[in-house]
């Protein structure tokens, strides 16, 4: 029991640190990109951030919905990425926490901040003062559109994740295999061996 609690605390602390670092990195990149573009390109950047959040949210839900059994059959046929897909499903809680809570929430926060920056740029470029009625209206409309796309996109993503969880996680497994093979980052071996010993 104590070991389980300690493990959960360590994971929570690790996630907090990862979130801090990633939020800082994404915020710096978004600010740097938005500072040198027009409001139109700024809108594109905002929508790309929203899409990133939807994409990772879909993966997070798919990881919890996927069944491990089909991937064992794929692994028996030596399909590339099958073992990594098994790794994802066995660690679905952590994958979902990272994709939904870390990346998803960071994307939501940064898209809101980026949207505010775009509204200010648009207001100034059209010759209106900050704090004007025009800026208020544009802010409400743009923020509402971003919120609608985020919520609607995640709802669609969840539906796809539930119905196509095996296909989605298999593609994630193939991507992880590619990362492991080309960047020599070991993610699967030790974890799978531990699971087999426990079984």
């Amino acid at each position: 029991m104590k070991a389980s609690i300690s493990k959960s605390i360590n994971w929570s602390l690790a996630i907090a640190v990862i979130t801090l670092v990633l939020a800082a990195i994404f915020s710096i990149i978004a600010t740097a990109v938005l500072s040198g573009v027009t409001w139109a390109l700024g809108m594109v950047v905002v929508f790309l951030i929203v899409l990133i959040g939807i994409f990772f949210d879909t993966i997070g839900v798919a990881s919890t919905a996927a069944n491990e059994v089909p991937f064992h059959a794929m692994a028996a046929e030596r399909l590339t990425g099958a073992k990594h897909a098994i790794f994802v499903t066995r660690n679905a809680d952590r994958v979902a926490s990272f994709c939904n809570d870390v990346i998803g929430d960071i994307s939501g926060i940064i898209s809101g901040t980026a949207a505010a920056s775009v509204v200010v740029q648009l207001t100034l470029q059209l010759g209106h003062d900050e704090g004007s009625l025009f800026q208020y209206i544009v802010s409400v409309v743009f923020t509402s559109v971003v919120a609608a796309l985020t919520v609607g996109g995640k709802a669609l993503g969840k539906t796809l994740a539930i119905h196509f969880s095996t296909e989605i996680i298999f593609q994630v497994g193939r991507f992880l295999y590619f990362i492991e093979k080309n960047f020599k980052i070991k993610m699967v071996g030790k974890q799978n061996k531990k699971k087999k010993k426990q079984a």
Side-chain angles (χ1 to χ4, degrees):
M1 183 67 178
K2 289 182 179 180
S4 178
I5 294 174
S6 177
K7 189 176 180 180
S8 297
I9 292 174
N10 291 336
W11 170 245
S12 298
L13 291 173
I15 281 294
V17 173
I18 292 171
T19 303
L20 176 66
V21 174
L22 290 179
I25 293 172
F26 290 167
S27 181
I28 291 170
I29 293 174
T31 301
V33 171
L34 289 172
S35 63
V37 300
T38 62
W39 63 267
L41 287 177
M43 285 187 176
V44 173
V45 172
V46 171
F47 291 135
L48 284 176
I49 295 172
V50 170
L51 286 175
I52 289 172
I54 294 171
F55 177 76
F56 277 92
D57 190 76
T58 302
I59 292 175
V61 174
S63 69
T64 60
N67 191 326
E68 186 179 325
V69 175
F71 300 122
H72 284 287
M74 294 179 189
E77 295 177 6
R78 299 184 181 279
L79 294 181
T80 300
K83 291 182 179 180
H84 295 73
I86 294 172
F87 172 80
V88 171
T89 55
R90 285 182 174 174
N91 294 276
D93 55 339
R94 296 189 176 189
V95 172
S97 179
F98 177 78
C99 292
N100 297 65
D101 299 333
V102 177
I103 303 299
D105 290 350
I106 288 175
S107 297
I109 294 169
I110 293 179
S111 65
T113 304
S117 176
V118 170
V119 169
V120 171
Q121 288 181 7
L122 175 60
T123 301
L124 296 177
Q125 287 181 17
L126 294 180
H128 295 272
D129 296 326
E130 287 192 50
S132 64
L133 178 61
F134 176 80
Q135 180 179 349
Y136 176 76
I137 294 173
V138 172
S139 178
V140 170
V141 172
F142 191 41
T143 302
S144 299
V145 170
V146 170
L149 288 175
T150 301
V151 175
K154 287 188 175 183
L156 176 61
K158 284 179 171 62
T159 300
L160 293 174
I162 291 171
H163 287 89
F164 301 101
S165 58
T166 300
E167 292 84 353
I168 291 172
I169 297 306
F170 180 57
Q171 294 305 319
V172 172
R174 292 183 65 181
F175 176 74
L176 293 178
Y177 172 82
F178 173 82
I179 294 296
E180 183 175 284
K181 182 179 180 181
N182 291 278
F183 296 95
K184 309 302 179 183
I185 302 174
K186 195 68 176 175
M187 293 179 287
V188 172
K190 293 182 179 179
Q191 183 71 19
N192 280 347
K193 286 179 181 178
K194 287 181 181 179
K195 293 289 183 179
K196 287 179 180 178
K197 286 181 180 180
Q198 289 176 1

